[in-house]
């Protein structure tokens, strides 16, 4: 028993990613060298950084570009077995201009490629919990909303 009321508080890790689209509404997925599934550009929020700042930094590090990053599409409370509680933010990267796409230089340590995919194929391309988040992010981009999720499901 402790007298510290904060002892029972979660210590959730935060991560932020960016959802980019092409002119046909397909979404960008990257191929990490250290995972066996596709992801969106992004990563963990560092000390002293906001989720938005982390998203901007991760895109610059992973893709070598600094496009305008837009509004929040999704906030997902997503605890993971063995990893603990997480809050995952997904921001709208919009449709990058041709010159931005041409300027992409992948971080050779982290990424081996990227491609745009139809959202209808997403469950075949990545893990289920991320696929659910991306489906909601795609819908939020189209309908102008921000969605709160728990484990990738709308509440």
């Amino acid at each position: 028993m402790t007298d510290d009321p904060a002892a029972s508080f979660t210590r959730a890790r935060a991560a932020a990613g960016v959802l980019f689209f092409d002119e046909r509404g397909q979404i960008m997925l990257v191929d990490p060298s250290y995972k066996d599934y596709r992801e969106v550009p992004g990563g963990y929020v560092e000390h002293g950084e906001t989720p938005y700042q982390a998203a901007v930094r991760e895109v610059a590090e992973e893709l070598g570009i600094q496009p305008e990053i837009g509004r929040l599409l999704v906030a997902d409370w997503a605890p993971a077995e063995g990893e603990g509680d997480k809050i995952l933010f997904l921001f709208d990267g919009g449709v990058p201009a041709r010159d931005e796409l041409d300027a992409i230089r992948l971080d050779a340590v982290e990424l081996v490629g990227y491609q745009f995919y139809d959202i209808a194929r997403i469950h075949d391309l990545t893990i289920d919990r991320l696929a659910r988040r991306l489906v909601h992010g795609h819908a939020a981009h189209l309908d102008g909303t921000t969605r709160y999720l728990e484990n990738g499901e709308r509440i």
Side-chain angles (χ1 to χ4, degrees):
M1 194 85 160
T2 178
D3 291 333
D4 181 6
S8 66
F9 296 173
T10 186
R11 287 166 179 70
R13 290 188 288 166
V18 178
L19 195 52
F20 290 106
F21 300 85
D22 69 7
E23 62 282 343
R24 297 182 299 177
Q26 298 183 112
I27 63 170
M28 176 192 284
L29 296 178
V30 295
D31 296 312
S33 59
Y34 55 94
K35 292 182 180 179
D36 61 356
Y37 58 89
R38 292 173 180 90
E39 266 281 8
V40 294
Y44 283 107
V45 178
E46 296 179 355
H47 289 286
E49 190 174 53
T50 68
Y52 183 85
Q53 290 168 333
V56 170
R57 176 185 51 77
E58 287 286 347
V59 167
E61 289 175 4
E62 293 180 359
L63 302 179
I65 59 174
Q66 296 180 321
E68 186 73 26
I69 305 296
R71 66 187 181 81
L72 179 66
L73 296 173
V74 170
D76 189 6
W77 178 257
E81 186 72 33
E83 296 179 41
D85 295 337
K86 294 181 186 182
I87 184 77
L88 306 169
F89 298 92
L90 190 57
F91 292 92
D92 195 337
V95 179
R98 172 53 43 201
D99 62 326
E100 288 175 317
L101 291 174
D102 291 343
I104 289 177
R105 300 293 177 264
L106 299 177
D107 178 328
V109 173
E110 287 193 37
L111 300 177
V112 296
Y114 79 94
Q115 190 171 329
F116 288 90
Y117 296 94
D118 190 300
I119 194 68
R121 294 188 53 214
I122 199 65
H123 286 282
D124 297 328
L125 300 169
T126 193
I127 58 174
D128 192 49
R129 66 179 186 236
L130 176 57
R132 290 191 306 265
R133 187 175 319 118
L134 295 177
V135 167
H136 283 288
H138 185 267
H141 168 78
L142 293 176
D143 66 20
T145 62
T146 298
R147 297 188 179 194
Y148 171 74
L149 309 175
E150 291 183 4
N151 295 305
E153 299 291 343
R154 213 166 175 185
I155 299 300

